[in-house]
Amino acid sequence: MVFAVRLDTFPMARGTRVFYIGTNQTSVLTAIRRHILSRFTHLPLSGEYLHRDTYDIAARYGKDTFFLIHWLGTARLPALFALKNRFDLLAEWLPFLPPHCGDRLLQFFSRLLPDPLPARMQAYRDRYEHHLLLKVSAEGVSEAQAFLSDYFSEHEGEFFACTEEEGKKAFFHRFAAQ
């Protein structure tokens, strides 16, 4: 069994940029990863992968988590999940309620909310099976932009530089997919 812990051990980077990459060939992502790790002066802060199926599952079943992060931040999630678990334990005592009642209620109510995902992400979801979120520091933005522009002029796929809001939402969505 492996446990992962996220700790804030470095100062928060300023002026970061998220590049959203889409392709239908995993070999494209492998080549990008290899190039970045072997040749970039400024390594990305984060690289997160999403498959189209995972994208769809998170869009449907993780919408409640997305909105909780968006409205309340990640610091309050443990307390909210503990509250939901208590509710589920109490609901088990009522035989007419379905299992995981808390999750089902949150997912039902989240369906009443508008789709939070940016239109450009939705378009990439329709066109590409594989998605990569690449977050770079301010120092690495021009290097990443130049490499991706050059790379995709000759290879299958595309990318776009996210606005600050699109970048946040892309990572909220990725977090909800976990």
Side-chain angles (χ1 to χ4, degrees), residues 37-101:
L37 292 175
S38 65
R39 298 196 183 140
F40 268 33
T41 303
H42 303 285
L43 291 176
L45 301 171
S46 176
E48 296 285 343
Y49 170 78
L50 268 176
H51 185 274
R52 181 187 292 152
D53 294 342
T54 306
Y55 182 104
D56 292 343
I57 290 167
R60 179 176 173 123
Y61 298 107
K63 196 173 175 184
D64 55 332
T65 302
F66 179 101
F67 277 111
L68 287 173
I69 295 168
H70 182 68
W71 291 330
L72 303 175
T74 56
R76 294 193 178 125
L77 283 183
L80 291 171
F81 283 130
L83 184 64
K84 183 195 66 72
N85 286 337
R86 284 190 205 139
F87 175 81
D88 282 341
L89 286 172
L90 290 172
E92 285 180 12
W93 290 87
L94 303 172
F96 58 88
L97 290 177
H100 310 290
C101 187

Side-chain angles (χ1 to χ4, degrees), residues 135-165:
K135 185 177 187 177
V136 298
S137 65
E139 299 83 17
V141 170
S142 59
E143 180 179 29
Q145 178 88 40
F147 165 70
L148 293 171
S149 294
D150 183 55
Y151 185 83
F152 283 113
S153 68
E154 299 177 12
H155 296 87
E156 187 273 335
E158 285 182 86
F159 80 97
F160 65 87
C162 294
T163 65
E164 187 175 336
E165 187 68 19

